[in-house]
Amino acid sequence: MEGKPGLRERKKQRTYAAISDAAITLFLEHGFNQVSVAQVAEAAEVSKRTLFAYFPTKEDLVVHRLADHETEAARVVRARAAGTAPLTALREHFLDGLRERDPITGLNDHPQVRRLHRMILDAPSLVARMERFKAGAEHALARALEETAGVPELTARLAAAQIVAVQWALAQDNAERLAHGESADGRHEGAVADAEHAFALLEYGLRGFAG
Amino acid sequence: MEGKPGLRERKKQRTYAAISDAAITLFLEHGFNQVSVAQVAEAAEVSKRTLFAYFPTKEDLVVHRLADHETEAARVVRARAAGTAPLTALREHFLDGLRERDPITGLNDHPQVRRLHRMILDAPSLVARMERFKAGAEHALARALEETAGVPELTARLAAAQIVAVQWALAQDNAERLAHGESADGRHEGAVADAEHAFALLEYGLRGFAG
DNA sequence: GAGTAAATGTATACCAGGTGCAGAAATCAT
DNA sequence: ATGATTTCTGCACCTGGTATACATTTACTC
C-alpha cells in the first residue's frame, strides 16, 4: 500500500488546490461577502456542484487552511517529555510560536496574514466558523489531558476550556495590536511577557483579584 | 414619560410574542431545520418580511429567550458587595442557580427545557449562535472586571475567558447527564461538588496537574 | 371627529448558499 | 479497446434573507 498516487488522486489534489487558491485570491481582493461561490467556481474552472464536493461550505474555503491547528494543543500535550506538566509543554510551545511568528499566535505582520485576519473579522460567518474551530481544539485537548495526565474527565474538560480560551485571547490581543500598527518584532517582547502572565494565571489561579 | 404603553407598542409586543410562540412550538414539534421561516410566519399570521423585522435571523427566534443571560455574569460582578472578590460572587451566584434549577446551569429537567436543549444541539447553526452568545458574555464580563476590580485590560479579558469557559463547561456537563436520564434533584449534589471543584481550579490554578 | 404624517405591514421579485438528480466524461483494470 | 466505476456537470429546486414599492394602521393636530 502507499505506492504511487495515481492520476485520479493527483488530479483531485490539483483541483482542490485550484479551488482553494482561486477562493483565497478573490476573497482577499474583494472581501468574503462580496464574492459568491459561483464566482469562485468559475475562476477555478469548475462547476459549483464540484466546488461543494470538495468544500462543504463557503467558510471552509478559508478555514481548511487552519485545520491542522485544531489538534495542535492536543498533540503538544501527547508528545510532551515524561515528567513535564501539560501546562509547561503548552507554554513552551506557545512561546516557540511567538518566536517563530506563527500566525496562530497573532504575532505575524506579513501583509497577507494581516489581510486574511481582517477578512475573517469582517465576515461574521467566518468568525462563527472560527468559534467552532476553537470548540474542536478544546475537545481534542480535553481528551489528550484525560488520557495522558491521568485526570478525571470533568477536570480535563475544565482545564482544556480554560487553556484554549487563554491561548485564543492572547492571540486575539496580539493580532489586534498589530492591526493597530505595531510591528511583530516590536511587539514580541510584550507578547512574551503577556503570555507568561497568562500562563501564570492558569497555573496559580485568579485569587490575586482585588476584593 | 413612561406613562401608558400605547396601542402601537402593545400591538408590537403581541406580534413579537405571537411570532416567538409560533416558532418555538413548531421547532419543538418538528425540529429547527425541518421548519422554514415561511411556515413560522404563516403560523403567526404575519408576512415573512415582518418576521425578519422582529428577528434578524432564524436562530434569533430561539436564542432571544436567553438574551438576558448574556450579561448576567457581568451584572453579578458589578453588583457584588464591597469587599467580595468577583470570583466569590460568581461562585455564589452559580450555586444559587443550581439550587433554583436555573436552566442556564444545565440542571433543569423539565421536559420543555430538555427538548429545547436537544433541539439546539441537533442544529449546528444554533450551536454556532450559542458560541456567539458566549463570546458576548465573555466581553461583557471582561469590561465589568476591568471597571470594578481595578485590573488591567488583558488580565480582565483572560480571567473572563476562563470564567465563562468554565461556567459553560459545567452547564454542558450537567445538561449531558440529565440527557442521559439522571434527574435534576438526583444530580444536584454532584453538580454542586463539581462546581466547587471548578471554581477552586479557577482560584488556585491548574498546577496540581500530574507531571 | 376629519385629516395627515409617520410608522408598520404586505406582496412580489430577487439574490446567494446549498442539495438532488440524471447523464456525460474521465479514469482505471483487464 | 471495453466495461465498470468514479468524478464532474448542468439544471432545477429549496431556503434564508433583502430591496422595492405600495397599502394599512396608529397617533397627533385642529
Side-chain angles (χ1 to χ4, degrees):
Chain A
M1 50 213 77
E2 183 84 21
K4 45 207 142 178
L7 175 55
R8 189 169 264 165
E9 212 57 34
R10 269 178 291 148
K11 217 166 188 178
K12 263 167 81 169
Q13 289 181 5
R14 275 199 299 129
T15 305
Y16 185 92
I19 296 173
S20 174
D21 291 349
I24 295 288
T25 303
L26 286 175
F27 289 158
L28 282 181
E29 185 159 2
H30 304 110
F32 185 76
N33 287 323
Q34 278 61 54
V35 178
S36 72
V37 292
Q39 287 174 280
V40 174
E42 194 180 3
E45 294 181 308
V46 154
S47 79
K48 201 177 84 170
R49 206 66 184 73
T50 298
L51 185 151
F52 281 114
Y54 282 86
F55 298 90
T57 71
K58 188 184 182 184
E59 287 73 34
D60 284 291
L61 289 168
V62 176
V63 175
H64 79 276
R65 304 201 161 207
L66 310 178
D68 285 348
H69 292 297
E70 191 164 357
T71 54
E72 190 173 345
R75 286 199 308 272
V76 168
V77 165
R78 289 185 194 278
R80 74 189 191 277
T84 305
L87 212 46
T88 305
L90 287 167
R91 181 183 50 234
E92 292 310 317
H93 183 75
F94 193 85
L95 292 175
D96 285 349
L98 289 177
R99 207 173 302 125
E100 295 161 13
R101 309 291 190 269
D102 189 334
I104 202 79
T105 63
L107 197 66
N108 187 305
D109 57 3
H110 287 182
Q112 293 248 356
V113 174
R114 282 182 44 177
R115 270 192 300 163
L116 200 80
H117 207 94
R118 191 3 142 251
M119 188 190 90
I120 292 175
L121 291 186
D122 285 348
S125 66
L126 278 176
V127 173
R129 187 66 177 70
M130 294 301 288
E131 297 283 347
R132 212 179 105 198
F133 177 86
K134 200 173 136 189
E138 209 175 297
H139 192 253
L141 178 57
R143 283 192 60 98
L145 287 174
E146 189 186 348
E147 292 174 14
T148 73
V151 86
E153 186 189 354
L154 180 67
T155 306
R157 281 163 69 165
L158 291 167
Q162 290 185 56
I163 291 165
V164 170
V166 161
Q167 288 188 343
W168 200 262
L170 286 172
Q172 288 234 115
D173 190 63
N174 286 328
E176 228 168 77
R177 287 167 185 269
L178 297 203
H180 277 277
E182 272 186 76
S183 77
D185 290 345
R187 168 72 188 140
H188 180 255
E189 194 179 348
V192 169
D194 285 345
E196 306 266 24
H197 172 59
F199 276 92
L201 278 181
L202 278 174
E203 270 193 72
Y204 300 108
L206 303 175
R207 72 188 173 296
F209 266 2
Chain B
M1 49 220 80
E2 182 85 22
K4 44 208 140 173
L7 175 55
R8 190 168 265 166
E9 212 57 35
R10 268 179 291 148
K11 215 166 189 180
K12 264 167 78 168
Q13 289 180 6
R14 275 199 299 127
T15 305
Y16 185 91
I19 296 172
S20 174
D21 290 350
I24 296 288
T25 304
L26 286 175
F27 290 158
L28 282 181
E29 185 159 0
H30 304 109
F32 185 75
N33 287 323
Q34 278 61 56
V35 178
S36 71
V37 292
Q39 286 174 280
V40 174
E42 194 180 3
E45 294 181 308
V46 151
S47 79
K48 202 177 82 169
R49 205 68 182 67
T50 297
L51 185 151
F52 280 114
Y54 282 87
F55 298 91
T57 71
K58 187 184 183 184
E59 287 73 33
D60 284 292
L61 289 168
V62 176
V63 175
H64 79 277
R65 305 201 160 206
L66 310 178
D68 285 348
H69 292 297
E70 190 163 357
T71 55
E72 190 173 345
R75 285 198 310 272
V76 168
V77 165
R78 290 184 194 278
R80 73 189 191 277
T84 306
L87 213 46
T88 306
L90 287 167
R91 180 183 50 235
E92 292 311 317
H93 182 76
F94 193 85
L95 292 175
D96 286 349
L98 288 177
R99 208 173 300 126
E100 296 161 14
R101 308 292 190 270
D102 188 335
I104 203 77
T105 63
L107 197 66
N108 187 304
D109 57 2
H110 287 182
Q112 293 247 358
V113 175
R114 280 182 46 177
R115 270 193 301 161
L116 200 79
H117 207 94
R118 191 3 143 248
M119 189 190 90
I120 291 175
L121 291 185
D122 285 348
S125 66
L126 278 176
V127 174
R129 187 66 176 71
M130 295 301 288
E131 297 283 345
R132 212 180 104 197
F133 177 86
K134 200 173 137 190
E138 210 174 295
H139 192 253
L141 177 58
R143 282 191 61 98
L145 287 174
E146 189 186 347
E147 291 173 13
T148 74
V151 86
E153 187 190 351
L154 179 68
T155 307
R157 281 163 71 165
L158 291 166
Q162 289 185 57
I163 292 165
V164 170
V166 161
Q167 287 188 343
W168 200 261
L170 286 172
Q172 289 235 116
D173 189 62
N174 287 327
E176 228 168 78
R177 287 167 185 268
L178 298 202
H180 277 277
E182 272 184 75
S183 77
D185 290 347
R187 169 70 189 141
H188 180 254
E189 193 179 348
V192 169
D194 286 344
E196 306 266 23
H197 173 58
F199 276 93
L201 278 182
L202 278 173
E203 271 192 71
Y204 301 107
L206 304 175
R207 72 188 172 297
F209 265 2

